Amino acid sequence: MRKEEPGWVEIAPPDGSAGLSFQTEPLFTRPRWPSTRSEQQMMMHLDVEVNDLSSAVEHALVLGAT
């Protein structure tokens, strides 16, 4: 982790190369899938590769994923 503040976290590898930053948004509206013209659309998509999908899903759900 490169930086952490209330409502903000920045993660990056130790070598200083590109990383990701995340910021909370108090007015966030959950996207609808599939999208519609009248509701929030997906803003970004990240693919994360895992070796054991069912274990990874279980772990994500324990951490609060929906």
Side-chain angles (χ1 to χ4, degrees), residues 25-37:
E25 171 51 73
L27 300 178
F28 174 75
T29 301
R30 183 185 194 109
R32 175 184 170 91
W33 184 259
S35 61
T36 66
R37 291 187 186 273

